Amino acid sequence: MANQETSKTARDYQELVKKKRPSKPVLKNLIYAFFVGGAISLVGQGIQWGFMQYGMSAKDATSPTTVVLIGLGALFTGLGWYDQLVKRGGMGGTLPITGFANAMVAPAMEFRSEGLVLGVGAKLFTVAGPVLVYGLSAAFVVGLIRFLITGVA
Amino acid sequence: MPARKIGPGTYHLSRAGIKSTAAIVGPKEGEGPLRSYFDEVWESETHQQKSVERAERVLLEDTMNLAVEKAGCRWSDIDLVLGGDLLDQIVSTNFVARRHQRPLLGLFAACAVFTEALGLGALLVADHDPTTVAVGAVSHHMAAERQFRFPVELGYQRTPTAAWTATAAGVAVVGPAEAGDVVVDGVTFGRVVDWGSKDPNDMGSAMAPAAFDTIKQHLAATGETITDYDAIFTGDLGVLGVDLIQALGNKEGINFGDRLNDCGKSLYYLKEQDVHNGASGPGCSASVFAGYLHHCLLTGQWQRLLLVATGALFSPTTYQQGESIPCIAHAVSLRRPEAILS
């Protein structure tokens, strides 16, 4: 079917599309991402300092801080606010752990209508799954390289 | 006079008239510029239903009931129902048919299904039997999002070329034309056109060549030119798609000018409602026709309209496998009631 004439038409057309297609507002997106991501990190830092006020070390305070941030991410998703935040902030909203909470809670809410097992259970990791698979794989590779170079496991 | 074939996919007919139309839309569509043309605007996306798929069915069923009522018929007067939707196995259309119990032709042409149904229905009516048909299409924003994209509450950035699937349904009852009816006078069924677009977030540019091809086929078969129409409305090409058709036309010496418009561009205030390229979905062209375009013909504001609904015939599986997006467009030409002409 794809004779030379049609493929030339198709190529010319894709060139035309490239010319006409509106460009993404990259600079604006970057600025929003910086401030949204920065604001979430600032909140996280505040929570960590809060825990440290109660005598925890900076390292000890990390875990409860993460828990609170995940809780906030889940709450904001439930209230329908988190997608609005990411719409503006892009990666600034997706990358922090609150974004991970969003990626878990959004499918949990969505697939409730198909039941707890075939809905929520089966679909809970549809968004976060790839992040976990490749995140863990990358951590393993980086850990291995570190072990080979420094000898520290 | 029965329908006559005048081109590869083009038929001339005169006997089919639009008896009534009905359009019901979601809250976001109700905030758009066409609000006053719709029969009903839902207050919430879910309309108190326990799933968005159920909401889509209720949307179609209510719109169909309303169109039948406005035509002054009962369901038993409807000989055949034609239509489709975007959900897998066209469940909305099929499940609604479980309730109305009329003979059904469920169709799939993605967002081009309304003109497929209207064109096919008009052809059948023009050949005398069945006498009265109901044609319709529906889409629901949230149901389409979860099938084609991501969970609704998941945060992500839409690209500037992304379209917003409309929560909307449009239905028309077609029967033998009488004085005062908008008349279907031509149909062109399109062929599948694929010029290599692969981005599911840019369906306007994927579908524009299909719409252009169908418009050209229609004009060649009927011997008409763009100026024979007061308006040519494509389905859901959006801002970019319309721009591309204009450019394709210019290359071949066809000047669409202001006559070319798009249902997807018309349904929302594009900037204020933050819908990027415009509306999409089978319910987009169906509701804009049933609400607004039919009104413009009925009141004699326009003499003739060419409605060219456009569909991207892909599935999530095919684009994940790297396939390009085949597209189709079906055209139906309509003229205003004879009574106004005299």
Side-chain angles (χ1 to χ4, degrees):
Chain A
M1 182 217 105
N3 60 38
Q4 269 181 334
E5 200 186 325
T6 53
S7 66
K8 180 167 182 331
T9 313
R11 266 202 314 277
D12 289 351
Y13 180 67
Q14 293 305 327
E15 285 300 312
L16 177 71
V17 171
K18 237 184 254 172
K19 253 185 268 166
K20 294 267 180 190
R21 184 178 284 167
S23 54
K24 291 180 192 174
V26 175
L27 185 68
K28 201 178 89 184
N29 284 351
L30 282 174
I31 293 170
Y32 269 118
F34 178 81
F35 283 101
V36 168
I40 294 171
S41 307
L42 205 63
V43 171
Q45 190 63 63
I47 295 167
Q48 191 182 15
W49 278 337
F51 282 115
M52 285 160 71
Q53 293 297 311
Y54 291 95
M56 285 188 188
S57 70
K59 200 177 173 189
D60 288 343
T62 312
S63 297
T65 302
T66 311
V67 171
V68 173
L69 281 175
I70 289 176
L72 286 176
L75 179 69
F76 277 42
T77 302
L79 293 170
W81 296 348
Y82 206 83
D83 58 323
Q84 298 297 321
L85 191 75
V86 181
K87 196 174 133 42
R88 279 267 165 263
M91 263 298 156
T94 304
L95 211 55
I97 193 113
T98 45
F100 184 76
N102 175 244
M104 296 292 290
V105 175
M109 288 165 67
E110 182 97 4
F111 295 103
R112 184 68 187 82
S113 55
E114 282 80 40
L116 283 174
V117 176
L118 295 176
V120 177
K123 300 286 178 61
L124 193 59
F125 286 92
T126 44
V127 181
V131 181
L132 291 177
V133 169
Y134 293 106
L136 291 175
S137 306
F140 174 78
V141 171
V142 171
L144 186 69
I145 293 169
R146 188 177 81 152
F147 175 70
L148 291 176
I149 294 173
T150 65
V152 182
Chain B
M1 189 179 68
R4 192 158 46 90
K5 187 179 171 205
I6 54 171
T10 306
Y11 300 83
H12 174 78
L13 56 159
S14 56
R15 197 175 168 269
I18 308 264
K19 299 292 159 191
S20 73
T21 61
I24 302 180
V25 300
K28 189 179 176 94
E29 292 67 27
E31 287 167 12
L34 302 181
R35 181 190 176 100
S36 59
Y37 297 98
F38 298 127
D39 294 286
E40 193 185 324
V41 175
W42 276 8
E43 279 176 21
S44 77
E45 285 280 340
T46 49
H47 202 62
Q48 293 99 46
Q49 300 302 310
K50 64 181 182 188
S51 73
V52 288
E53 287 78 10
R54 277 184 80 114
E56 180 169 312
R57 297 204 279 276
V58 172
L59 185 60
L60 180 62
E61 188 175 0
D62 286 359
T63 313
M64 285 199 149
N65 285 336
L66 188 60
V68 171
E69 187 191 314
K70 281 171 82 175
C73 313
R74 280 169 312 198
W75 267 110
S76 54
D77 301 324
I78 304 291
D79 297 318
L80 180 68
V81 175
L82 303 99
D85 55 84
L86 213 48
L87 299 185
D88 292 338
Q89 288 80 39
I90 49 171
V91 281
S92 304
T93 304
N94 290 336
F95 278 46
V96 169
R98 170 170 81 176
R99 305 257 299 200
H100 63 60
Q101 286 292 302
R102 303 309 301 156
L104 172 77
L105 285 181
L107 307 172
F108 184 82
C111 311
V113 75
F114 183 70
T115 45
E116 181 177 346
L118 180 60
L120 184 55
L123 278 183
L124 293 172
V125 169
D127 282 342
H128 298 280
D129 278 310
T131 321
T132 309
V133 302
V135 303
V138 64
S139 53
H140 190 289
H141 176 74
M142 288 159 92
E145 281 291 299
R146 67 195 300 245
Q147 181 175 311
F148 284 93
R149 299 185 186 98
F150 297 113
V152 174
E153 289 304 332
L154 181 76
Y156 70 100
Q157 270 178 331
R158 307 172 80 86
T159 62
T161 53
W164 187 274
T165 309
T167 301
V171 174
V173 173
V174 182
E178 294 165 321
D181 289 349
V182 168
V183 175
V184 178
D185 63 2
V187 177
T188 295
F189 294 121
R191 52 187 178 183
V192 172
V193 177
D194 182 346
W195 282 4
S197 294
K198 289 188 171 178
D199 183 359
N201 289 311
D202 179 9
M203 292 191 289
S205 71
M207 295 187 294
F212 185 58
D213 186 70
T214 299
I215 294 170
K216 273 199 311 184
Q217 297 273 350
H218 184 80
L219 296 179
T222 55
E224 294 166 337
T225 62
I226 299 294
T227 49
D228 288 315
Y229 292 91
D230 298 287
I232 297 175
F233 266 75
T234 49
D236 49 4
L237 297 182
V239 181
L240 176 60
V242 169
D243 202 20
L244 284 164
I245 287 209
Q246 300 270 17
L248 289 172
N250 287 341
K251 269 193 194 171
E252 300 192 16
I254 301 170
N255 181 19
F256 287 101
D258 293 341
R259 286 188 167 80
L260 180 66
N261 208 329
D262 181 68
C263 299
K265 258 176 86 175
S266 314
L267 189 55
Y268 304 111
Y269 294 111
L270 297 178
K271 278 264 169 334
E272 294 82 351
Q273 292 189 276
D274 196 26
V275 291
H276 302 259
N277 196 43
S280 68
C284 169
S285 54
S287 65
V288 170
F289 172 75
Y292 175 61
L293 302 177
H294 179 255
H295 172 84
C296 291
L297 288 164
L298 200 61
T299 55
Q301 195 175 327
W302 295 334
Q303 301 260 12
R304 298 195 71 209
L305 163 76
L306 188 66
L307 179 65
V308 192
T310 42
L313 306 174
F314 74 109
S315 78
T317 308
T318 62
Y319 85 74
Q320 281 162 8
Q321 293 176 348
E323 297 278 348
S324 56
I325 301 173
C327 296
I328 199 159
H330 301 297
V332 174
S333 70
L334 302 113
R335 64 167 70 244
R336 73 180 192 179
E338 296 291 336
I340 305 175
L341 285 171
S342 54

